[in-house]
Amino acid sequence: QRQSFKKFSKGDSSSSMTGSRIELLVKIGFEWDCSPLPWEGLYDKLVSFVRENGHASVPCKFAQNQGLANWVDHQRRIHKHYQRGDPCSLTENRVYLLNKIDFQWDISSRPWKKVYDKLVIFFNENGHTQVPFKFSQNQYLSHWVRNQRSQYKQ
């Protein structure tokens, strides 16, 4: 039913779904999205991640919760559809909620100065810039510092 609904929503005439079938399913509380955790549940997990880490940049290979990492990646991908006005599960309210926690839609364009400022704070607190390889307070900063060193060597 879910696949037929998707086809119907896109105007695909091969769909066996009809408006009246949708109404009947909605009447009995049919859930169109049966992901393991609904969007709000994963958003709450992301908010917890932000509280613990100080940022919303969940690493792509996040061993503690790979499902959250996959969800974050998915939000970035569907945001492109949302921006074009294509049908997708991202709503204006969801974009608002993600923006509220400083979600980075395009991680390739993360402002350099913003991360540099985090390094300055680290330096002021520790007296050096040798951010540990697995710096639990800010894994992104650790990765960024390694990347700066690598780029310098090139």
Side-chain angles (χ1 to χ4, degrees), residues 31 33-46 65 67-68 71 75 94:
E31 293 185 33
D33 182 11
C34 63
S35 352
L37 255 183
W39 192 94
E40 290 76 13
L42 286 160
Y43 174 77
D44 290 342
K45 297 242 183 241
L46 180 60
N65 191 338
L68 178 61
W71 181 82
Q75 300 313 300
R94 289 176 175 181

Side-chain angles (χ1 to χ4, degrees), residues 8-52:
F8 179 82
S9 296
K10 293 178 182 176
D12 185 337
S13 59
S14 71
S15 170
S16 61
M17 186 59 65
T18 64
S20 60
R21 288 180 179 176
I22 292 170
E23 285 179 36
L24 288 171
L25 290 167
V26 168
K27 262 186 193 175
I28 61 167
F30 188 80
E31 293 185 33
W32 297 103
D33 182 11
C34 63
S35 352
L37 255 183
W39 192 94
E40 290 76 13
L42 286 160
Y43 174 77
D44 290 342
K45 297 242 183 241
L46 180 60
V47 170
S48 295
F49 178 90
V50 170
R51 277 193 216 112
E52 293 171 21

Side-chain angles (χ1 to χ4, degrees), residues 21-127:
R21 288 180 179 176
I22 292 170
E23 285 179 36
L24 288 171
L25 290 167
V26 168
K27 262 186 193 175
I28 61 167
F30 188 80
E31 293 185 33
W32 297 103
D33 182 11
C34 63
S35 352
L37 255 183
W39 192 94
E40 290 76 13
L42 286 160
Y43 174 77
D44 290 342
K45 297 242 183 241
L46 180 60
V47 170
S48 295
F49 178 90
V50 170
R51 277 193 216 112
E52 293 171 21
N53 298 281
H55 61 83
S57 300
V58 179
C60 295
K61 306 262 186 216
F62 185 50
Q64 293 93 325
N65 191 338
Q66 189 59 47
L68 178 61
N70 295 342
W71 181 82
V72 164
D73 180 58
H74 180 69
Q75 300 313 300
R76 288 189 179 111
R77 280 188 279 118
I78 64 173
H79 186 252
K80 292 173 184 166
H81 295 283
Y82 175 82
Q83 287 180 308
R84 289 192 303 256
D86 296 342
C88 68
S89 60
L90 204 55
T91 64
E92 188 176 334
N93 186 55
R94 289 176 175 181
V95 169
Y96 168 77
L97 289 170
L98 289 166
N99 284 338
K100 196 167 127 178
I101 59 169
D102 200 24
F103 187 81
Q104 298 294 313
W105 295 105
D106 182 1
I107 55 174
S108 65
S109 67
R110 189 184 311 248
W112 187 92
K113 177 80 167 84
K114 190 173 183 178
V115 185
Y116 169 79
D117 291 341
K118 299 273 187 196
L119 180 60
V120 170
I121 292 168
F122 179 90
F123 174 78
N124 290 335
E125 292 173 355
N126 299 283

Side-chain angles (χ1 to χ4, degrees), residues 128-139:
H128 61 81
T129 59
Q130 297 173 356
V131 180
F133 183 72
K134 292 189 176 183
F135 184 50
S136 62
Q137 288 101 331
N138 192 335
Q139 283 185 312

